[in-house]
Amino acid sequence: MYRSKTCGELRSTNSGEIVTLAGWVQRTRKMGGMTFVDIRDRYGVTQLVFNQESNSELCERANKLGREFVIQATGMVAERSSKNANLDTGDIEILVSELTVLNESVTPPFTIEDNTDGGDDIRMKYRYLDLRRNAVRSNMMLRHQIAFETRRFLDQQNFLEVETPILIGSTPEGARDFVVPSRMNLGQFYALPQSPQLFKQLLMVSGFDRYFQIAKCFRDEDLRADRQPEFTQIDCEMSFVEQEDVLQIFEGLIRHLFNYIKGIEFDGAFPRMTYADAMKFYGSDKPDIRFDMKFVELKEVVSGKDFAVFDSANYVGGICAPGCATYTRKQIDELTEFVKRPQIGAKGLVYIKVENDGSFKSSIDKFYNQDELKTIAALFNAQPGDLILILAGDTAKTQKALNELRLEMGNRLGLRDKNVFKPLWVVDFPLFEWDEDTQRYYAMHHPFTSPKLEDLSFLDTDPGKVRANAYDMVVNGVELGGGSIRIHDSKLQNRMFELLGFTPEKAEAQFGFLMSAFKYGAPPHGGLAFGLDRLVSLFAGLDSIRDCIAFPKNNSGRDVMIDAPSAIDASQLEELHLTLIPPATN
Amino acid sequence: MYRSKTCGELRSTNSGEIVTLAGWVQRTRKMGGMTFVDIRDRYGVTQLVFNQESNSELCERANKLGREFVIQATGMVAERSSKNANLDTGDIEILVSELTVLNESVTPPFTIEDNTDGGDDIRMKYRYLDLRRNAVRSNMMLRHQIAFETRRFLDQQNFLEVETPILIGSTPEGARDFVVPSRMNLGQFYALPQSPQLFKQLLMVSGFDRYFQIAKCFRDEDLRADRQPEFTQIDCEMSFVEQEDVLQIFEGLIRHLFNYIKGIEFDGAFPRMTYADAMKFYGSDKPDIRFDMKFVELKEVVSGKDFAVFDSANYVGGICAPGCATYTRKQIDELTEFVKRPQIGAKGLVYIKVENDGSFKSSIDKFYNQDELKTIAALFNAQPGDLILILAGDTAKTQKALNELRLEMGNRLGLRDKNVFKPLWVVDFPLFEWDEDTQRYYAMHHPFTSPKLEDLSFLDTDPGKVRANAYDMVVNGVELGGGSIRIHDSKLQNRMFELLGFTPEKAEAQFGFLMSAFKYGAPPHGGLAFGLDRLVSLFAGLDSIRDCIAFPKNNSGRDVMIDAPSAIDASQLEELHLTLIPPATN
């Protein structure tokens, strides 16, 4: 071992001990006849001292140390005269008697500091240097801890971690698969799993009873901040359970993680909200309930006053932003621009200010008199000083836009504190969603999701009305995970495939092995999966999941550090019996 | 929850309780007016009792239950009059008052019993049913436990588990990569990692200090019993360590696993053997030291007696099989056939029997008199009743053949008990191996392995003589894992690439990012990786790693259960700008 102690553990009680440390040079500074070198490792920073007078040769060598040199230093622990309270080891320093340079370093392209001078691109290219920074490394340590505690909790609950294969078959349903040509089975391809869904259901058929896996999953989708081509799920499945059992166990897991890792205890059970209510009051299936500002539907009360915008709209709804009646013309204009952005797509924004004297000032003064505005304001329980913001149009689009506006107001009012956590179960999702383009139903969750027994009768008459035993856990507006009770009855499963437009042949080709398995005694089962990347991001207060992944890819799916993907040898392609089609040049 | 208790937990102390169980029908039998149904889940088997007299309707329904039906039964726990000591729940039975069939089952293609009637092929196709068998499921439970305890041990030793990417770049060196075409980077490919080697070294450059990962690795190689296209490694790396530190930590891990999981304590440190001694005395770099039977080299003592086979051989060596002098002509012929098999390739087998009267009987009586045979026997310390077996020929091939013969004799003599475990470190591996075909050196371990400092001078004069800081852990003749101290000095690394025939350009293209990283202060580091599949197989006493993998592939790399790999849609290929070359038809 090149060291007897780490750079984070020495305290004044160690004074007088001879120790050897090894690590990186964080910085060096000369003061009078002394040279001070901060040596850093994963565990902390310790101050080394060299004295020009007592050992000039050694001190000269210390003076030549560059940033990020790897060194080994032996010396005596001494209590500092001026202690540094910002540093765990700030009470001591090492009076160095031996110094070895284990490796030199050229000057790094950015500073290894909490507030580095490096931009995103350069830090991605030199990710191995970025990972030296405390801020980045601590995210990885948190990730380790969350994964470890998740395993510990689930092991104690009798869950078995089972590794399911990475080289599986392609299933055209769902997102796009990454495929892997097989050399031993020419012309055929493996696919990388989008999730271990089918395998975990097979494990339930196998009687594994309680399964989990912290599993790598893959989707060849266009990327954005919270998507990576490979991502990690805490994937779980249980047998002989109903929805309530699954919610209880996994609420327990999340509670344990918050408590053990962040010291946060939640009072009482996590609140639950139906999908219908989530859409009605928040316009989102993942509402951020750190703040209230619920939607109020106004269609009825505002109709018939000759205001064409409202009269022609399917939906009119608004939110009440407390204390924002003081918003200037400019601020209102900003909000109007915000909702009119193409990603949000509202046509305009109506406001009603509740003035301090109880009167109303509004962009629709012409159509609604003070009494009428008062009636509207009462629906919001608006107080003097509040600002009511109203959108109108097609129901789904307008609710979505109003959700964005609500979140924006939450941000502006500082109501979305990253250190406040508000978990929520969203339940009773619809089983299907209708797609206008293809004029067919799609499974909202996946084709194995069980309908609610009490809604079974709608399967034939009005499939859109059938609710599923499906649930999502949402924290602070982030969908941490979700799952469902699965269909364990072959007949019901076949009916589902039919409704989803699978011919029996197509269902057999894609899910035949699961359908076969279900003939041999499938138990009632259900489960869920959490996104580990999102969970870590949430705990760390990160804006992008990239920051909690050791070696992430950029928005083009490239790892710019190792420069992958890349061209491969012609012989490799030949062995796989593949040729590349050159891209069209005109 | 569909049950209040599992099928494995009820004891006579539960008598009188009303319980609900859920599980699979293991078997049913009628005796007099009673029907007994064994219900099985992951946790055990419990006997259900139905009484024709007291509830004939219920009993009739129980009589109709088929094997592997999924049922739910409620009833009172009662102490059995005739207890079954072979069953954990054998003291009790359930007097059933309610019975629900949760799912039916068609008749399984083989019996779900410890000794099933199903052959390998059918069990692979219906793997989900095979996994219901105790023997198979217990391997998966052992795997979970080994993985979990490994994590717990390493977490306590300050190791951080870091996930490294699965979609990386291809490195033509080493085994063949699986490649993944990139849709977003047309004409380019990801590769699946053969190991996280480069990433773990980068994490050391990043100051992670102690890393591990239970990682999926991929090799597109031709398969055999102990190889799978995807396999799992316990991959570890440490900074600021020397070889001794690595051996200590990971001997500790293996010791912990044996102790915690199998209740086995090893006395003293694991023995260590140099690679040179392993080859000299066992003809293998993974000797099985559960039994002795060391090689004795005879070239010197047997030469010059006009026996051309020995005189012309580079190597003459033998083993002494205790108590085998009674072997018949037929048995000796069997052994001769054994060593002459093409996989082993010896030309013939010489024997010397030490008779009970102290005389010698040998297939080379014509060339060696009794005194000469006595001299040979003395080198083996052979006792009356022993059988000496001798092979001769080219050194490497003959040692390899003699190793096979030794293992065969160990098997015949019952010296290779699966319940006896003999761990061993093999150390001081050569840095390079010379390949006659390509007339160049190859890295025996990998190109980042550090030579021993004291052998550095041979790098230029006699590279074959340089020993590496590389080590393998071997248990019972199985290489459980291995690793090395890495080169952390760029100059030495460049010299290595040169010796391995890499041009600077090729080294840059393949390992450029690692070489760049090493310029920014790489610490001294080293590590190792254990094969999790092999470790579980060893603990479970399995002959193939397949049995400890939930969903393994066959020797053609196929998952016959899900029928993967398979053809993919033309549109998928098109999107990837790839075409298939039809196989040649003549």
Side-chain angles (χ1 to χ4, degrees):
Chain A
M1 197 74 84
Y2 282 76
R3 67 186 173 211
S4 64
K5 297 281 178 186
T6 70
C7 299
E9 66 182 296
L10 293 170
R11 301 288 181 273
S12 54
T13 50
N14 299 101
S15 296
E17 290 176 24
I18 303 295
V19 299
T20 301
L21 302 183
W24 286 262
V25 172
Q26 179 75 26
R27 59 176 191 151
T28 59
R29 52 197 192 287
K30 289 174 72 164
M31 279 178 67
M34 314 285 274
T35 295
F36 298 94
V37 175
D38 284 349
I39 180 173
R40 183 195 73 232
D41 65 12
R42 179 183 125 195
Y43 311 94
V45 169
T46 300
Q47 179 166 290
L48 306 176
V49 187
F50 300 82
N51 190 325
Q52 179 73 39
E53 214 163 290
S54 62
N55 191 335
S56 66
E57 182 270 338
L58 196 67
C59 196
E60 282 312 314
R61 283 171 48 218
N63 288 337
K64 286 184 191 132
L65 293 175
R67 272 206 290 140
E68 301 304 320
F69 275 36
V70 185
I71 60 168
Q72 182 187 39
T74 299
M76 196 174 69
V77 183
E79 195 153 350
R80 287 203 213 178
S81 48
S82 63
K83 297 187 168 51
N84 179 349
N86 296 322
L87 213 57
D88 286 340
T89 63
D91 285 358
I92 57 94
E93 59 194 5
I94 312 292
L95 310 178
V96 177
S97 49
E98 282 174 58
L99 174 69
T100 307
V101 174
L102 298 173
N103 222 338
E104 300 193 349
S105 171
V106 297
T107 305
F110 51 86
T111 56
I112 312 296
E113 305 274 359
D114 286 357
N115 292 309
T116 180
D117 56 0
D120 276 359
D121 289 350
I122 193 114
R123 287 191 294 114
M124 284 285 268
K125 181 166 163 57
Y126 295 91
R127 182 67 172 171
Y128 47 85
L129 296 179
D130 203 27
L131 285 167
R132 278 190 194 165
R133 299 195 305 120
N134 287 328
V136 184
R137 198 185 51 241
S138 65
N139 293 337
M140 301 305 136
M141 293 172 73
L142 176 66
R143 187 182 181 103
H144 162 78
Q145 203 184 13
I146 288 178
F148 185 76
E149 280 306 314
T150 296
R151 287 191 163 98
R152 202 160 66 93
F153 179 89
L154 292 174
D155 175 74
Q156 278 170 4
Q157 302 282 339
N158 266 325
F159 283 79
L160 292 176
E161 185 161 24
V162 180
E163 293 175 60
T164 56
I166 298 288
L167 297 171
I168 65 166
S170 189
T171 52
E173 194 70 359
R176 207 183 280 106
D177 284 323
F178 283 106
V179 295
V180 182
S182 166
R183 179 184 55 88
M184 289 213 263
N185 302 272
L186 284 175
Q188 301 192 332
F189 292 77
Y190 300 102
L192 305 182
Q194 295 181 29
S195 87
Q197 183 65 33
L198 297 177
F199 289 96
K200 73 176 174 177
Q201 292 196 243
L202 288 178
L203 286 172
M204 293 305 104
V205 173
S206 300
F208 273 55
D209 205 71
R210 294 185 165 199
Y211 144 92
F212 84 102
Q213 187 183 190
I214 300 190
K216 267 284 170 75
C217 303
F218 305 85
R219 276 182 208 168
D220 185 11
E221 287 179 306
D222 298 323
L223 306 172
R224 46 180 211 231
D226 64 343
R227 288 243 180 102
Q228 284 274 309
E230 52 182 298
F231 56 98
T232 306
Q233 284 194 348
I234 303 170
D235 190 52
C236 309
E237 196 79 4
M238 303 169 76
S239 287
F240 301 115
V241 289
E242 289 156 311
Q243 173 169 315
E244 187 59 32
D245 305 308
V246 179
L247 300 192
Q248 287 295 336
I249 285 271
F250 293 100
E251 184 166 322
L253 168 63
I254 296 300
R255 215 175 260 283
H256 170 73
L257 294 176
F258 268 106
N259 188 2
Y260 190 88
I261 292 173
K262 296 193 81 76
I264 293 173
E265 288 261 25
F266 294 104
D267 290 337
F270 289 3
R272 298 184 189 181
M273 192 184 291
T274 63
Y275 173 86
D277 277 354
M279 297 311 292
K280 182 181 171 73
F281 294 117
Y282 300 94
S284 166
D285 59 1
K286 36 181 192 283
D288 183 349
I289 58 167
R290 279 176 295 187
F291 63 108
D292 199 23
M293 223 185 273
K294 283 200 196 73
F295 294 4
V296 171
E297 289 182 10
L298 302 170
K299 176 68 186 168
E300 214 166 308
V301 72
V302 297
S303 290
K305 306 289 175 181
D306 291 336
F307 182 42
V309 171
F310 285 176
D311 283 352
S312 66
N314 292 323
Y315 177 90
V316 182
I319 55 174
C320 174
C324 294
T326 54
Y327 265 36
T328 60
R329 177 85 239 161
K330 185 160 167 268
Q331 284 173 301
I332 300 273
D333 284 349
E334 267 172 26
L335 292 179
T336 308
E337 286 314 306
F338 175 83
V339 298
K340 285 167 86 174
R341 290 190 308 172
Q343 311 94 295
I344 298 183
K347 296 263 164 55
L349 175 69
V350 167
Y351 71 84
I352 305 173
K353 289 180 177 175
V354 189
E355 303 288 2
N356 283 330
D357 62 4
S359 70
F360 301 93
K361 199 178 157 201
S362 170
S363 52
I364 49 172
D365 283 345
K366 265 189 280 181
F367 302 95
Y368 300 88
N369 62 31
Q370 288 286 314
D371 272 355
E372 286 161 342
L373 293 174
K374 190 174 184 179
T375 307
I376 295 171
L379 293 172
F380 289 91
N381 194 24
Q383 304 300 312
D386 289 355
L387 173 69
I388 293 168
L389 299 167
I390 299 172
L391 298 180
D394 165 75
T395 306
K397 276 188 191 159
T398 308
Q399 284 179 335
K400 195 167 164 290
L402 196 55
N403 165 52
E404 296 291 343
L405 179 62
R406 175 178 174 271
L407 295 176
E408 171 67 16
M409 291 313 295
N411 287 336
R412 287 177 177 240
L413 293 169
L415 300 172
R416 304 182 72 194
D417 183 345
K418 281 186 175 177
N419 297 308
V420 170
F421 297 93
K422 292 287 182 194
L424 170 74
W425 286 109
V426 177
V427 296
D428 296 357
F429 278 82
L431 188 61
F432 301 105
E433 39 187 1
W434 177 257
D435 184 64
E436 278 297 330
D437 291 346
T438 52
Q439 288 286 305
R440 53 165 270 206
Y441 282 110
Y442 282 86
M444 188 139 184
H445 194 58
H446 56 58
F448 315 111
T449 303
S450 172
K452 283 196 182 290
L453 284 185
E454 59 266 39
D455 290 357
L456 271 185
S457 59
F458 299 125
L459 264 188
D460 297 312
T461 55
D462 188 359
K465 230 176 152 177
V466 179
R467 291 164 307 157
N469 281 316
Y471 31 82
D472 276 357
M473 183 180 284
V474 174
V475 181
N476 294 2
V478 175
E479 181 205 323
L480 274 196
S484 65
I485 298 297
R486 326 300 181 184
I487 298 169
H488 65 276
D489 176 57
S490 303
K491 287 185 223 86
L492 182 56
Q493 186 65 66
N494 287 334
R495 180 80 190 92
M496 278 292 287
F497 283 143
E498 208 179 298
L499 282 164
L500 293 170
F502 283 80
T503 61
E505 294 70 33
K506 201 175 155 203
E508 172 62 30
Q510 273 182 47
F511 306 114
F513 63 98
L514 187 68
M515 292 304 92
S516 296
F518 273 24
K519 290 181 190 138
Y520 295 97
H525 62 288
L528 97 184
F530 290 108
L532 178 63
D533 308 293
R534 286 192 190 164
L535 189 58
V536 179
S537 297
L538 179 82
F539 271 53
L542 303 174
D543 294 319
S544 162
I545 61 167
R546 239 175 246 169
D547 296 326
C548 71
I549 295 173
F551 300 102
K553 292 184 176 61
N554 72 9
N555 276 351
S556 313
R558 295 198 69 79
D559 182 328
V560 296
M561 179 188 71
I562 64 171
D563 197 24
S566 59
I568 58 173
D569 284 1
S571 62
Q572 278 176 285
L573 274 178
E574 214 168 277
E575 233 179 359
L576 298 168
H577 279 220
L578 286 174
T579 46
L580 282 170
I581 307 168
T585 46
N586 58 339
Chain B
M1 197 74 82
Y2 283 77
R3 66 186 173 212
S4 64
K5 297 282 178 184
T6 70
C7 299
E9 66 183 296
L10 293 170
R11 301 290 182 271
S12 54
T13 49
N14 300 101
S15 295
E17 289 177 23
I18 303 294
V19 299
T20 300
L21 302 184
W24 286 261
V25 172
Q26 179 75 26
R27 58 176 190 152
T28 59
R29 52 198 191 287
K30 289 174 71 164
M31 279 176 69
M34 313 285 276
T35 294
F36 298 94
V37 175
D38 284 349
I39 181 173
R40 184 196 72 231
D41 67 10
R42 181 182 124 195
Y43 310 94
V45 169
T46 299
Q47 179 167 289
L48 307 177
V49 188
F50 300 82
N51 190 326
Q52 178 72 39
E53 214 164 291
S54 62
N55 191 337
S56 65
E57 182 269 338
L58 195 67
C59 195
E60 281 314 311
R61 282 170 51 217
N63 288 338
K64 286 185 192 133
L65 293 175
R67 271 206 290 140
E68 302 303 319
F69 275 36
V70 185
I71 61 170
Q72 183 187 38
T74 299
M76 194 175 69
V77 182
E79 194 153 353
R80 286 203 212 179
S81 47
S82 64
K83 299 188 167 53
N84 179 349
N86 296 322
L87 213 59
D88 286 341
T89 63
D91 285 359
I92 58 95
E93 58 195 4
I94 312 291
L95 309 179
V96 177
S97 50
E98 282 175 57
L99 174 68
T100 308
V101 173
L102 297 173
N103 222 338
E104 300 193 349
S105 172
V106 298
T107 306
F110 51 87
T111 56
I112 312 296
E113 305 275 359
D114 286 358
N115 292 307
T116 179
D117 56 359
D120 277 359
D121 288 351
I122 193 113
R123 287 191 292 113
M124 286 286 269
K125 181 165 162 58
Y126 296 91
R127 181 68 172 172
Y128 47 85
L129 295 179
D130 204 27
L131 285 167
R132 279 190 194 165
R133 299 194 304 121
N134 286 327
V136 184
R137 197 185 53 239
S138 67
N139 293 336
M140 300 307 135
M141 293 173 72
L142 176 65
R143 187 182 180 104
H144 162 77
Q145 203 183 14
I146 288 178
F148 185 76
E149 279 307 314
T150 296
R151 287 191 164 98
R152 202 160 65 94
F153 179 90
L154 292 174
D155 175 74
Q156 277 170 4
Q157 302 283 338
N158 266 325
F159 283 80
L160 292 176
E161 185 162 24
V162 180
E163 292 174 61
T164 56
I166 298 288
L167 296 171
I168 65 166
S170 189
T171 53
E173 195 69 359
R176 205 183 284 104
D177 284 324
F178 283 104
V179 295
V180 181
S182 166
R183 179 183 56 87
M184 288 212 265
N185 302 270
L186 283 176
Q188 302 193 330
F189 293 77
Y190 300 102
L192 305 181
Q194 295 181 29
S195 86
Q197 184 64 34
L198 297 176
F199 289 95
K200 73 176 175 178
Q201 293 197 242
L202 287 178
L203 286 172
M204 293 304 104
V205 173
S206 299
F208 272 55
D209 205 67
R210 295 184 165 201
Y211 144 92
F212 85 102
Q213 186 184 191
I214 300 190
K216 267 285 171 75
C217 303
F218 305 85
R219 275 181 209 170
D220 185 11
E221 286 180 307
D222 299 323
L223 306 171
R224 45 181 213 232
D226 63 342
R227 289 242 180 102
Q228 284 274 309
E230 52 181 299
F231 55 98
T232 307
Q233 286 195 347
I234 303 169
D235 189 52
C236 308
E237 197 78 6
M238 304 169 75
S239 287
F240 300 116
V241 289
E242 289 156 311
Q243 173 169 315
E244 188 59 31
D245 305 308
V246 180
L247 299 192
Q248 288 295 336
I249 286 271
F250 293 100
E251 185 166 320
L253 169 63
I254 296 299
R255 215 176 261 282
H256 171 74
L257 293 176
F258 268 107
N259 188 3
Y260 189 88
I261 292 172
K262 295 193 81 73
I264 293 172
E265 286 262 26
F266 294 103
D267 290 336
F270 289 2
R272 298 186 189 181
M273 192 185 291
T274 63
Y275 172 85
D277 278 353
M279 297 312 291
K280 182 181 170 74
F281 294 117
Y282 300 92
S284 167
D285 59 0
K286 37 181 190 284
D288 182 350
I289 58 166
R290 277 175 296 186
F291 63 109
D292 199 21
M293 223 184 273
K294 281 200 195 75
F295 294 3
V296 172
E297 289 182 8
L298 301 170
K299 177 67 186 171
E300 213 166 306
V301 69
V302 297
S303 291
K305 306 289 174 181
D306 289 337
F307 182 44
V309 171
F310 285 177
D311 283 353
S312 67
N314 292 324
Y315 177 90
V316 182
I319 56 173
C320 176
C324 293
T326 53
Y327 264 37
T328 60
R329 177 83 240 163
K330 186 162 165 267
Q331 284 174 301
I332 300 275
D333 282 351
E334 268 174 28
L335 292 179
T336 309
E337 286 314 306
F338 176 84
V339 297
K340 284 167 86 175
R341 292 190 307 174
Q343 311 92 297
I344 299 185
K347 296 264 162 54
L349 175 67
V350 166
Y351 71 85
I352 304 172
K353 289 178 176 177
V354 189
E355 305 287 2
N356 281 331
D357 62 4
S359 70
F360 301 92
K361 201 179 155 199
S362 169
S363 52
I364 49 171
D365 283 345
K366 264 189 282 180
F367 302 96
Y368 300 88
N369 64 29
Q370 288 284 315
D371 271 357
E372 286 161 345
L373 293 173
K374 189 175 183 176
T375 307
I376 294 171
L379 293 172
F380 288 92
N381 195 23
Q383 305 300 311
D386 289 356
L387 172 68
I388 293 168
L389 297 167
I390 299 171
L391 297 178
D394 165 74
T395 306
K397 276 187 191 161
T398 308
Q399 284 179 334
K400 194 166 165 290
L402 197 54
N403 164 53
E404 296 292 344
L405 180 62
R406 176 179 174 271
L407 295 176
E408 171 66 16
M409 292 311 297
N411 286 337
R412 287 178 175 240
L413 292 169
L415 301 172
R416 305 182 72 195
D417 183 346
K418 283 186 172 176
N419 297 309
V420 170
F421 297 92
K422 291 289 181 193
L424 170 74
W425 285 110
V426 177
V427 297
D428 295 359
F429 277 81
L431 188 62
F432 301 107
E433 40 187 2
W434 177 256
D435 183 63
E436 276 300 328
D437 291 346
T438 52
Q439 289 284 308
R440 55 165 268 208
Y441 283 110
Y442 283 85
M444 188 139 185
H445 193 59
H446 58 56
F448 315 110
T449 304
S450 171
K452 283 195 182 291
L453 284 185
E454 58 267 39
D455 291 356
L456 271 185
S457 60
F458 299 125
L459 264 188
D460 297 312
T461 56
D462 188 359
K465 234 178 149 176
V466 180
R467 290 166 307 158
N469 282 318
Y471 32 81
D472 276 357
M473 182 178 286
V474 174
V475 181
N476 295 2
V478 174
E479 183 205 322
L480 273 196
S484 65
I485 298 297
R486 326 301 182 184
I487 298 169
H488 63 277
D489 176 57
S490 303
K491 286 185 224 86
L492 182 56
Q493 186 66 65
N494 286 335
R495 179 81 189 93
M496 277 292 287
F497 283 142
E498 209 179 295
L499 282 164
L500 292 170
F502 284 79
T503 60
E505 293 71 31
K506 202 177 154 202
E508 172 63 29
Q510 275 183 45
F511 307 114
F513 63 97
L514 188 68
M515 295 302 92
S516 295
F518 274 24
K519 290 183 190 136
Y520 294 97
H525 61 289
L528 99 183
F530 289 108
L532 179 63
D533 309 293
R534 286 191 190 164
L535 189 58
V536 179
S537 297
L538 179 82
F539 271 53
L542 303 175
D543 293 320
S544 162
I545 60 168
R546 240 174 246 170
D547 297 326
C548 71
I549 295 173
F551 300 102
K553 291 184 177 63
N554 72 10
N555 276 352
S556 312
R558 294 198 71 79
D559 182 328
V560 295
M561 179 187 71
I562 63 171
D563 197 24
S566 59
I568 57 173
D569 284 1
S571 62
Q572 278 176 286
L573 275 177
E574 213 168 278
E575 230 179 1
L576 297 167
H577 279 221
L578 285 175
T579 47
L580 282 171
I581 307 169
T585 47
N586 56 342

